[in-house]
Amino acid sequence: MVQKYRIYRIMKHNFNLILLATMLLVGCSTPMTNQEETKKEFVTIQGPDLIKPDGSKLFIKGTNLGNWLNPEGYMFKFRKTNSARFINEMFSQLVGPDFTAEFWKAFKDNYITSEDIQFIKRTGSNTIRLPFHYKLFTDEDYMGLTVNQDGFARVDSVVKWCREADLYLILDMHDAPGGQTGDNIDDSYGYPWLFESEASQKLYCDIWRKIAEYYKNEPVILGYELFNEPIAPYFKNMEELNGKLEEIYKMGVAAIREVDNNHIILLGGSQWNGNFKPFKDSTFDDKIMYTCHRYGGQPTKEAIMNFITFRDSVNLPMYMGEIGHNTDEWMSQFCQTMEENNIGWTFWPYKKAESSCFVGIATPENWDLIIRFSEAPRETYEQIREARPDQAMSRKALMDFIEATRFENCIIWEEYIKSLGLTPN
């Protein structure tokens, strides 16, 4: 009996040891938390390179969905009427505010759809940059809506389409509160008030915090570009404004990091994303990359040497967020130059009226009369009345333009796409 009890004690002791070892082993191999798993799904930074979750290098190649969520005059063939605010005002004078609101909804529904995103994927692109107006995330009057703006719904649709197409997405606040540029491209009042207005700075931070909280676990989004092309070169106090740039960026980064430590944040240089001298501190965040723009000039390494020099000095990625509007030969040479120097790119834009893009919009019948009204003097009510063409004709032309924007009705500019080393499928 005693012998049996000793055997039992030994077996129980050994069982307990095995159980303890098993528990320790399981503890050591416990599955990662959801947060840890999420972090492994995101693009990361390794020196001047972007690294995909599988460990391979990501060299950005793609395009911009300009004009969709931030209308810009020249993409409609307007010249004088060149910002979102001016375009909306002109349409309202032309056909009334209610019809204009209907136009904007149809425009947003049709200008970019899943078919466009699938086509971009088929070209061999891997990234889309999505310019947007800050008003899409407020209760301000914008593109036909007031209280119930649809910013998240519109971005959600692109996130879904990019996930289905296996594309990365960069969110670009092209138009910041108060204006960050001081020209038509930021839909401002002719000065970069963001750098002087505490109210605008707070709103800019609040919007980015809200966006980051919403998308913090979305790996399709490569990163957040805090704002586009800050501080145009026209202002006498340009250097004073340049001196404020990094601090305004730090505000936005801090707001995002309150809720999201997963995503890369993109910072553009002043004067059309071309001047990186204002940056003095590249160590305030561990997920920063920089973004430059270049239109014109020679398609050579010398033309982007300042970008390369800055990139090498901070040992962080540099990406050409906008480039284009040139000859096919020029673009082909510049693509080669950028690839040789490890600067990824998204060409501007994907779609616009007529050419110099991936796909073009054929302007409809009587569109020349819409253009003529957009260029006519409209400073007084009398001038508006005298310049306004027939409303029925104008409404039809606007809705015909919407139909022309649909992907199946667009012109695929094959040589343009080929010049970028992509495939016009």
Side-chain angles (χ1 to χ4, degrees):
M1 183 74 178
V2 173
Q3 183 67 22
K4 287 182 178 180
Y5 178 73
R6 287 175 178 170
I7 293 171
Y8 167 77
R9 289 290 303 273
I10 292 169
M11 291 175 65
K12 182 178 180 182
H13 177 70
N14 290 342
F15 175 78
N16 287 338
L17 288 175
I18 293 169
L19 181 62
L20 178 61
T22 302
M23 291 174 64
L24 289 172
L25 182 62
V26 170
C28 291
S29 60
T30 299
M32 292 182 294
T33 65
N34 289 339
Q35 187 176 9
E36 290 171 334
E37 288 178 341
T38 299
K39 286 182 177 180
K40 288 183 69 68
E41 297 175 0
F42 286 80
V43 174
T44 56
I45 290 171
Q46 187 176 350
D49 297 327
L50 295 173
I51 305 299
K52 294 192 288 188
D54 65 4
S56 62
K57 177 180 172 180
L58 171 64
F59 183 84
I60 293 174
K61 292 184 178 183
T63 188
N64 287 266
L65 302 184
N67 201 44
W68 181 39
L69 302 180
N70 65 316
E72 196 167 344
Y74 85 98
M75 299 208 208
F76 293 90
K77 298 184 70 178
F78 304 149
R79 295 176 295 275
K80 181 179 176 181
T81 305
N82 57 1
S83 71
R85 185 164 48 88
F86 290 173
I87 296 168
N88 185 74
E89 179 76 5
M90 183 269 288
F91 283 166
S92 296
Q93 294 168 349
L94 178 71
V95 294
D98 295 334
F99 191 88
T100 297
E102 294 176 19
F103 170 86
W104 286 130
K105 183 182 185 305
F107 180 85
K108 287 185 284 186
D109 287 345
N110 291 278
Y111 196 86
I112 297 294
T113 67
S114 59
E115 285 77 14
D116 293 280
I117 306 304
Q118 288 293 334
F119 174 77
I120 292 170
K121 174 62 177 181
R122 291 196 301 272
T123 67
S125 297
N126 57 33
T127 304
I128 288 172
R129 179 173 178 252
L130 176 60
F132 67 88
H133 200 300
Y134 84 90
K135 289 182 180 179
L136 286 163
F137 297 93
T138 70
D139 289 337
E140 297 184 52
D141 185 3
Y142 184 65
M143 292 187 81
L145 295 176
T146 52
V147 176
N148 297 313
Q149 281 291 350
D150 57 354
F152 282 115
R154 296 296 174 179
V155 176
D156 278 352
S157 65
V158 184
V159 168
K160 176 179 180 292
W161 299 333
C162 284
R163 186 184 300 115
E164 293 169 349
D166 192 24
L167 290 167
Y168 286 111
L169 181 65
I170 294 170
L171 300 185
D172 155 44
M173 186 184 281
H174 218 73
D175 314 75
Q180 77 283 357
T181 307
D183 207 337
N184 68 292
I185 61 168
D186 66 354
D187 197 27
S188 71
Y189 291 87
Y191 186 82
W193 298 107
L194 175 66
F195 295 90
E196 298 187 2
S197 168
E198 291 185 7
S200 290
Q201 292 165 14
K202 182 180 184 302
L203 181 56
Y204 142 76
C205 290
D206 289 346
I207 292 170
W208 270 122
R209 187 184 298 107
K210 182 165 63 174
I211 291 172
E213 172 68 27
Y214 189 88
Y215 290 115
K216 62 185 177 183
N217 294 322
E218 180 50 71
V220 165
I221 295 175
L222 190 156
Y224 308 128
E225 186 172 341
L226 295 189
F227 44 78
N228 173 70
E229 294 188 346
I231 312 167
Y234 313 132
F235 306 106
K236 293 180 180 179
N237 63 337
M238 182 183 73
E239 290 305 325
E240 177 188 349
L241 293 169
N242 284 350
K244 300 177 181 181
L245 177 60
E246 192 167 54
E247 189 58 36
I248 301 299
Y249 274 145
K250 286 182 178 181
M251 290 181 187
V253 172
I256 289 171
R257 293 301 181 226
E258 289 178 26
V259 295
D260 181 354
N261 289 309
N262 293 326
H263 283 100
I264 293 168
I265 297 177
L266 291 81
L267 310 180
S270 58
Q271 288 77 65
W272 316 127
N273 278 31
N275 178 9
F276 289 84
K277 292 179 181 178
F279 294 107
K280 308 300 181 185
D281 179 11
S282 63
T283 62
F284 70 90
D285 189 85
D286 63 354
K287 296 185 182 69
I288 292 293
M289 66 181 285
Y290 293 92
T291 171
C292 57
H293 293 176
R294 173 68 71 197
Y295 291 97
Q298 294 299 312
T300 61
K301 181 177 180 180
E302 288 70 28
I304 55 173
M305 199 63 223
N306 60 320
F307 304 151
I308 297 168
T309 299
F310 175 78
R311 186 267 314 275
D312 293 345
S313 72
V314 296
N315 195 35
L316 291 169
M318 177 66 76
Y319 141 75
M320 186 73 73
E322 290 183 24
I323 189 170
H325 291 329
N326 216 302
T327 65
D328 293 344
E329 182 181 11
W330 184 92
M331 293 189 297
S332 177
Q333 291 178 18
F334 220 139
C335 283
Q336 183 178 347
T337 296
M338 289 187 289
E339 190 153 2
E340 289 172 351
N341 291 280
N342 195 26
I343 295 178
W345 46 262
T346 46
F347 267 71
W348 182 276
Y350 164 67
K351 181 185 290 188
K352 62 181 274 293
E354 298 189 342
S355 60
S356 194
C357 51
F358 278 46
V359 298
I361 302 164
T363 52
E365 184 182 11
N366 293 319
W367 194 251
D368 59 321
L369 299 180
I370 308 299
I371 295 172
R372 184 184 303 171
F373 180 74
S374 76
E375 303 299 318
R378 289 177 283 109
E379 284 75 28
T380 68
Y381 287 101
E382 181 181 7
Q383 288 177 332
I384 293 170
R385 289 193 297 270
E386 290 178 350
R388 184 189 293 121
D390 179 75
Q391 288 193 33
M393 179 277 297
S394 298
R395 292 180 181 188
K396 183 178 186 304
L398 286 173
M399 298 317 292
D400 286 347
F401 185 88
I402 295 292
E403 188 63 23
T405 68
R406 294 179 59 82
F407 175 74
E408 61 265 30
N409 298 324
C410 287
I411 307 160
I412 297 175
W413 294 109
E414 295 189 0
E415 294 307 314
Y416 178 101
I417 295 170
K418 289 177 182 178
S419 74
L420 311 184
L422 301 175
T423 305
N425 291 317

